[in-house]
Amino acid sequence: MSIHWYPGHMHKASREMIESLPLVNLVVEVLDARIPFSSSNPFIQALCTEKPCIKLLNKTDLAEPEVTRQWQDHFELQDNTKTMALDLQNSDPSKQIIALINKLSPQKEGRNTLVMVTGIPNVGKSSLINCLAGKHIAKTGDEPAVTKGQQRINLRNGIMLLDTPGILWPKIENPQGSYRLATTGAIKDTAMEYDDVAFFAAEYLLAAYPNRLRERFKFDQLPESPLQLLEIIGAQRGCLRAGGRVDLERVSTIFINELRAGILGKITFESPEVIDLEMQQVQLIKAEKAEREKLRLEKAATRRKKAKSNRK
Ligand SMILES: Nc1nc2c(ncn2[C@@H]2O[C@H](COP(=O)(O)OP(=O)(O)OP(=O)(O)O)[C@@H](O)[C@H]2O)c(=O)[nH]1
Ligand SMILES: [Mg+2]
């Protein structure tokens, strides 16, 4: 599945981030703890190499603690980078975050630190702003692209926050990454097919979390395929069409929503080990694409040449 969801406001937000960057002292990148690799925006990475960076792995209430720890160790090997694991839904880590910002800020005493809060859609950037401000000042919502423009918030403790809209990047080249983003809710519903995403999630859970599925759906034998799993769930939930066939669209929506809500337990979709292999796959996909484009251009040039010589 390739995702094409890069609406105008994200393009504008990227431009505004580049414009604001010279004044920014520190970058806070909010990641989804279930998908720390797939929720890392390469555009933000490339932009922020020179600034101290705090990576906040949020939604840890939905992710496996042990794997979150592995991700923190992985990120802390990068220059200028510190991490914290958060559950903004159920706790208030504002004191620890503010202490870390003050520790890493390159600003001299008495001068405000401008902190840019960045991240892909729906990871909890505005929830973080509200937590740090101690009041509800940024609109939040359980869907991607709630924040559409930049907003400055003065915490009046020497820290100025810059809330930014969640941005993706124009081409998400890692197919696994696209699926993980869709599974966790970073992609607008209208830009994805629920059944396609449910097949991916079902396949992953069958391989990585078979016991969770057994517990939740109470089957004697593990289904042999994602389709079989969705059919069993569909039959249990009465998602049937006329003639008794399972309504895959309906059961897929239920399955994905349960997964997103944590009803299947704490689930992480990637560990640091996947990075190398998936980066190699992306390079392969890019090389194949470049080769196809080269062939297309060569064919077009030959056609033009032929047409020209026919006209003579
Ligand atoms: N389960 C869980 N949900 C969270 C957590 N933090 C935030 N949320 C929820 O995630 C959803 C998105 O939060 P927002 O703060 O609006 O996310 P955002 O990054 O500002 O999103 P955009 O503005 O759309 O880019 C909301 O429904 C929040 O309540 C968390 O730690 N755990
Ligand atoms: Mg927001």
Side-chain angles (χ1 to χ4, degrees):
M1 182 180 68
S2 62
I3 302 246
H4 299 284
W5 188 49
Y6 192 64
H9 84 268
M10 285 193 199
H11 181 64
K12 184 166 163 259
S14 309
R15 268 204 336 262
E16 284 175 356
M17 273 171 69
I18 295 172
E19 282 161 19
S20 312
L21 207 63
L23 296 175
V24 168
N25 306 112
L26 191 146
V27 176
V28 166
E29 186 180 14
V30 186
L31 300 173
D32 186 322
R34 295 166 294 174
I35 53 166
F37 172 48
S38 301
S39 63
S40 294
N41 184 337
F43 168 78
I44 296 173
Q45 304 289 312
L47 209 61
C48 303
T49 48
E50 302 296 312
K51 315 266 176 189
C53 178
I54 302 176
K55 289 188 192 286
L56 299 177
L57 284 80
N58 189 35
K59 305 200 181 185
T60 52
D61 54 315
L62 301 174
E64 269 203 75
E66 171 51 32
V67 192
T68 302
R69 189 62 247 165
Q70 289 173 19
W71 278 110
Q72 287 190 264
D73 292 344
H74 167 81
F75 288 127
E76 297 222 355
L77 292 175
Q78 296 172 0
D79 288 343
N80 279 340
T81 306
K82 289 279 171 240
T83 66
M84 270 178 73
L86 308 181
D87 167 6
L88 287 171
Q89 185 99 308
N90 304 298
S91 62
D92 175 0
S94 54
K95 282 203 180 82
Q96 293 92 310
I97 299 172
I98 287 168
L100 189 58
I101 290 174
N102 285 330
K103 191 171 153 201
L104 298 182
S105 170
Q107 280 292 70
K108 293 205 174 72
E109 257 232 45
R111 301 199 60 181
N112 268 344
T113 299
L114 181 60
V115 177
M116 185 161 76
V117 179
T118 67
I120 65 161
N122 207 25
V123 282
K125 297 174 298 299
S126 298
S127 304
L128 172 73
I129 303 265
N130 292 336
C131 168
L132 294 179
K135 55 185 175 194
H136 194 93
I137 40 177
K139 192 175 163 208
T140 62
D142 193 13
E143 54 172 339
V146 169
T147 307
K148 297 268 193 325
Q150 277 191 4
Q151 185 185 188
R152 274 187 189 220
I153 297 109
N154 192 344
L155 296 186
R156 303 194 185 284
N157 58 3
I159 295 173
M160 178 81 86
L161 299 176
L162 194 57
D163 188 13
T164 66
I167 54 168
L168 289 165
W169 49 107
K171 275 191 201 139
I172 301 171
E173 264 140 348
N174 182 358
Q176 312 263 25
S178 299
Y179 276 119
R180 293 181 193 129
L181 288 165
T183 305
T184 50
I187 310 276
K188 197 128 189 119
D189 282 8
T190 47
M192 59 175 253
E193 301 289 342
Y194 267 99
D195 46 0
D196 199 11
V197 176
F199 266 71
F200 163 82
E203 188 166 30
Y204 179 72
L205 293 194
L206 280 169
Y209 293 93
N211 290 337
R212 297 283 182 82
L213 294 173
R214 272 198 196 94
E215 272 163 38
R216 175 83 187 139
F217 302 111
K218 315 259 182 284
F219 24 68
D220 304 323
Q221 247 191 334
L222 199 66
E224 281 173 11
S225 66
L227 176 61
Q228 208 183 15
L229 171 62
L230 292 172
E231 282 178 341
I232 293 171
I233 303 172
Q236 286 182 5
R237 300 294 157 88
C239 299
L240 300 176
R241 287 175 184 275
R245 271 199 10 252
V246 166
D247 183 338
L248 271 182
E249 182 69 29
R250 250 175 78 206
V251 67
S252 296
T253 310
I254 291 175
F255 180 62
I256 291 295
N257 285 334
E258 286 199 1
L259 189 57
R260 286 179 184 169
I263 294 171
L264 292 160
K266 292 174 186 266
I267 286 170
T268 300
F269 290 89
E270 54 194 17
S271 69
E273 280 146 33
V274 305
I275 298 178
D276 285 347
L277 182 66
E278 292 187 12
M279 293 299 272
Q280 280 169 22
Q281 285 167 352
V282 167
Q283 289 313 321
L284 215 66
I285 292 170
K286 275 188 181 167
E288 281 169 7
K289 231 189 229 167
E291 184 61 23
R292 277 202 302 276
E293 181 60 10
K294 196 176 135 215
L295 282 175
R296 190 186 68 78
L297 291 173
E298 279 170 7
K299 268 189 193 159
T302 316
R303 270 202 307 274
R304 271 200 307 277
K305 236 184 201 168
K306 228 177 183 176
K308 214 170 169 186
S309 69
N310 284 347
R311 277 203 298 274
K312 278 184 190 165

